[in-house]
Amino acid sequence: MSNPTLSWNLVKDVHELLAYQFMVNALEAGTIVAVTAGVVGWYMVLRRQSFAGHTIAVMSFPGAAGAALAGVPSAFGYYVACGVAALAIGRSGGAARRGGGRESAAIGVVQVAGLALGYLFLSLYSGVLEQLQTLLFGTFLGIDRNQVLTLLLVAVVVLAALVVVGRPLLLASLDPEVAHARGVPVRALDVGFLLILGLAVAATSQITGALLVFALLVAPPAAAQALTPRPGLSLVLSVVFALLVMWVGLGVSYFSIYPLGFFITSFGFALYLVAKLARYAAARLARDAPPGEPAPAAAV
Amino acid sequence: MLAHEFIRNAYLAGTGVALACGLVGWFTVLRGQVFAGDALSHVAFVGAIAAAVVGVDERVGLFVLTLGLAAVMAGLGRRAQADDVTIGVVFSWVLGIGVLLIAVLSTGSSGGNGLIVANTLFGSIFGLGVGQGIAAAAIGLGVVLAVVAIARPLLFATLDPELAGLHGVPVRVLGLVLLLLIGIVTAEGTRAIGALLVLGLIAAPAGAALRLTSKPYLGMALSAAIALAAMWGGIALSYVVPSLPPSTAIIALAVGAYALASMASTIAL
């Protein structure tokens, strides 16, 4: 791949791209990550837990730095750090999405504690300035078969857990009081969801990096929820959007000298803008049209 | 210790940054806008990288980007408080631009780029010059005076926006002013303790103060005092233990204060 150039023949381009094993690995890993992020992110956006999600996402930085210092595989560090952060946030109430200032302060404190530790690990483990950028902004090069298999395993666990708790979690997210009255263990679901989020984030950030995993978690679901208030449809849309952003991002960044993270965040942002504009236009139409069909509910 | 000029500069800059963070942070936490502060501080790093790419002073990039994003956030939300999903989508995109700029920077120049990135993300309070120290102290003082000046109406607008609006308090404008102040604080704090860590001085001292007292003015003073103590203690600690980076020491003390305050308030209940 000395000099990849994009031709107008898309079939040929894709064919060229798939000729490399590292690209096939990247596409497989990206697909797994996108499906997981699309589903988990959908619940995160629905529950208004973006701040918690972002905080758990950046925890993979201290995780990886600590693992490098301790001499264990970095994936191990990712999972431990994200799990600990999920528990710490869950312990502090998990109610930050309801806008409580003190809870959001607690999440912020968890985040900077983790980042400060990460910086300490990094400076103790001297000479990894180059790695810092990879940790924070990710790389899709050099993903091997074992990583793909691990990602697949994590994705299956995460998705299976969400299949089991999906319906009660949806109820608990939309209306905690009613859910509690019906005997749904709201509090346990709060912590459980944060742990699922932590697992998904730890897996995803190995490819997208600690700072950009969040883009994949928030933009596709936010776009999907802006387009339709129906849970099932927007969940499917969210996964489709995440896959689209990931595949197009990988394809473009193969032919470009610029990093994957930029393309993923930009395509995600563009999707979100288009979805918002579409909803705005639909709302205008619905207002002008005679009443009958209710305007889409404000999901975002 | 104070015989070293870089330590004196660190104390000068640190004092201004800490007092400003503590005061602004108290309102940030009270209004539940920590995520907005988080987003503003993380994009500050993109501003610094952009300034390095364009070749202008770092401060220009920091202030342009944080103040710009603060205005955007205020414009997007009701009562100048943006929705958390909107914040998340916008700021993850800005981070993506930061990645692009890092790539541009590293293709343009050979060395030094990793150092700029690390300094921006985690600060370099021991690397500030005299002029930078004085500037940071002056900006900090300006922010403190601004917060004191709008404290009363802002408090009213925070606790009961409807009533405040009826009394002619400009609720929206105050929300914008607070976001702009957060922008200034994060831009200046980025140079001292880094874009990723400045949130600690905004959230932790204020969170601790709000757990300890519900009296507003006492809480503000306490928040500023805790931030200042963390800053002074952190600088001294890092001087004594050279392997401990100053930013980590400062944040460790602030987080410790928050943990102690949480325990104290739990026991008191």
Side-chain angles (χ1 to χ4, degrees), chain A residues 48 50-51 54 61 101-102 104 106 111-112 115-116 119-120 123 133 136-137 212 214 222 258-259 262 265-266 269 272, chain B residues 29 32 34-35 38 42 45 84-85 88-89 91-93 96 99-100 102-103 118 121-122 196-197 200 204 210 245 248 258:
Chain A
R48 296 282 176 272
S50 298
F51 190 27
H54 173 63
F61 163 63
R102 288 163 203 213
S104 77
Q111 180 187 117
V112 292
L115 286 173
Y119 184 47
L120 177 66
S123 52
Q133 288 183 30
L136 291 172
F137 304 113
L212 299 180
F214 185 61
Y258 294 118
F262 168 68
T265 51
S266 295
F269 184 64
Y272 176 73
Chain B
V29 172
V34 180
F35 189 36
D38 184 38
H42 286 193
F45 124 83
D84 77 324
V85 176
V89 175
F91 113 86
S92 64
W93 180 56
V99 181
L100 176 73
I102 290 179
L121 290 173
F122 297 108
L196 290 185
L197 297 180
L210 277 164
T248 302
Y258 178 81

Side-chain angles (χ1 to χ4, degrees), chain B residues 216-227:
Chain B
Y217 293 104
L218 184 64
M220 282 177 226
L222 193 60
S223 172
I226 294 173

Side-chain angles (χ1 to χ4, degrees), chain B residues 97-110:
Chain B
I97 295 177
V99 181
L100 176 73
L101 291 176
I102 290 179
V104 171
L105 196 62
S106 46
T107 48
S109 68
S110 44

